[in-house]
Amino acid sequence: KATVSVLNWLINQKMVRFGLFHVATAVSGVLALVALIVYVTVHYVIGMQYMTCFGGTFGTFGNQMVRSKPFIEFQVQRDVAYIFGMHDLLYETTTQYQEIEVYAHRYFGHVLVIDGSLQITERDEVNYHEMTAHVPMAYLPDAKKVLVVGGGDGGALLRLLQHPNVETAHLVDIDMYAMRNIVASYFPFLYSAYTDKRTKAFAYDGSKWVDEQLEVESNRGSYEVVVLDSTDYGASESLFTESFYRRLKQLMAKDSILVANLDSPSWNLDTVTAVQLHLAGIFKHAVVMQSHQPTFLSGHYSFIFCSDEIHPMKAPIDWDKFIAKNIDTYYYNEDIHYASFALPEGVRRVLSQGTQFKDLPASPFTKRAFLQEPTKESLLLHEMKHGAGAEEDEDESLARDDL
């Protein structure tokens, strides 16, 4: 555009007859060539990209220029790709089982990638891991023996160990040694899961480990909380069979809970539905719960809650006992717990088992939300809405106004 403007000005000034038109054309061509060379050098040689952020009045130009190289994660089934502008590749290795990379990102911090698929980031791993651990522990506040299969990053185990009642914690990951070293170097805030005196970690194929544990009679029925935290492919394939789940169940106590990671119910509902139907044939209750995981494809993720004795909406929870543990959480709380089981209608109607808020027992949550005596604040709010003379026969409606 600048070149055209210059040429138009020259023509308007009738300077073409002096040969300046040809000079301007040559200069414009040289400038265009230089611009092309700079663009190619910046973007493809030294891997720099312009990043624009419209956070201010005029916006900032991504701190002018940010050195970043794109990491692209593909969702082949949906023909979608996510692009992360990684600041640097900190570490990469190929083990006997998988390819592991650790990147640095200016916003998400350190990022763990396994076989080309993003696993965790420093910024939002807490969403995922708090759900896998605190949801089952809320129902079993005195659970003493827990098991994590997969989860070599230590995130799920770390949150289980936040519960002081846990006395024995076993972690089984086929690539445990590699993962432990990576966590120590790049995710040190998770490393205490490995160093906790209650932890015993095994570098073992999860399926084979379960078989060996079943050979010892005292191991049967001994685990109260089990978390299956695996990748969706590769080294974890032995964990996706009916035989594995049935054998794993033999290690679980009667009043126990299994939580396993699933997939995106928004983009991969077929997978979520198939797994839920499959596990409903093994456990009496196999209920899908959801979480917000921003860096996962679609941002909408799900887990499955499995138990023979505990229904997530009908079993009572002693929230006073949970609060007394003084666990500092970022994502998980009492309301998120129940809301995670409130699935979108398009998801709920295709599952063989669903949950509804009307199934809730008279727990502290339901008492606060629906059965609580009206507070002064709720009475004042009700008066402002309906007038001082408005009659109200039931305290329930006042509590709902308060909510």
Side-chain angles (χ1 to χ4, degrees), residues 352-397:
S352 68
Q353 295 183 21
T355 56
Q356 299 182 58
F357 279 102
K358 68 180 182 181
D359 294 330
L360 285 171
S363 68
F365 173 82
T366 52
K367 286 179 181 178
R368 185 182 71 243
F370 302 111
L371 306 177
Q372 189 178 29
E373 290 294 321
T375 63
K376 292 181 180 180
E377 291 78 8
S378 66
L379 289 171
L380 178 60
L381 178 63
H382 180 74
E383 183 177 314
M384 292 171 62
K385 286 183 177 179
H386 306 289
E391 297 182 357
E392 187 64 56
D393 296 330
E394 297 183 3
D395 289 342
E396 179 180 352
S397 63

Side-chain angles (χ1 to χ4, degrees), residues 7 10 79 97 110 144 163 236 238 245 251 282 289 393:
L7 293 177
L10 290 172
D79 196 23
Y97 307 104
H110 290 174
K144 293 178 170 58
H163 296 262
S236 299
S238 64
Y245 283 109
L251 291 178
I282 300 174
M289 61 183 192
D393 296 330

